[in-house]
Amino acid sequence: MMKEAIFMLVIIGTFGYVFFLVRQLDRFLEKNRRLQMDAAKKKEPSCVILEGDLSEKEIINAVHRFQKKHQDMRIMLYDYTQIDLSKYTSSDMN
């Protein structure tokens, strides 16, 4: 009878310890997920598409904002109805 009682206490203690470890792991993973989400939100785009219906001031402001964050930039103007850019890879656009 004493052996069974000790065995039950060991089993209950083991379950309690595993519950504690899993809870700590869950907290760690949640914190890590939030940090990754925040980092993804803060990541700046490497490409900006400006539509033709923007005013000159809006275009200039967008170019200046992009230029502040990306020193090596290239501006390319094209008519999407006449040129197909799908043949370019994403590395060409960076």
Side-chain angles (χ1 to χ4, degrees):
M1 184 74 167
M2 186 65 157
K3 288 182 181 180
E4 289 89 10
I6 293 174
F7 181 70
M8 290 300 290
L9 288 175
V10 169
I11 295 295
I12 291 171
T14 302
F15 279 119
Y17 182 68
V18 169
F19 177 76
F20 172 77
L21 286 178
V22 170
R23 201 169 79 193
Q24 294 299 323
L25 178 64
D26 188 45
R27 288 181 185 165
F28 170 76
L29 292 175
E30 180 63 27
K31 182 180 178 183
N32 192 29
R33 185 189 64 81
R34 275 191 247 125
L35 290 174
Q36 287 180 350
M37 295 291 283
D38 291 344
K41 287 179 185 176
K42 292 178 184 177
K43 186 177 179 183
E44 296 295 326
S46 62
C47 178
V48 174
I49 298 174
L50 303 173
E51 298 293 331
D53 60 346
L54 295 174
S55 70
E56 289 180 23
K57 187 175 182 177
E58 290 172 319
I59 292 172
I60 290 170
N61 287 338
V63 169
H64 284 296
R65 279 192 309 270
F66 189 82
Q67 188 178 24
K68 285 179 184 177
K69 296 173 181 159
H70 303 278
Q71 294 179 354
D72 297 328
M73 67 176 244
R74 182 183 338 167
I75 296 176
M76 181 173 78
L77 303 172
Y78 76 99
D79 184 351
Y80 75 93
T81 62
Q82 297 179 7
I83 299 173
D84 180 22
L85 292 181
S86 62
K87 63 185 175 183
Y88 297 105
T89 62
S90 61
S91 63
D92 292 335
M93 298 299 281
N94 289 333

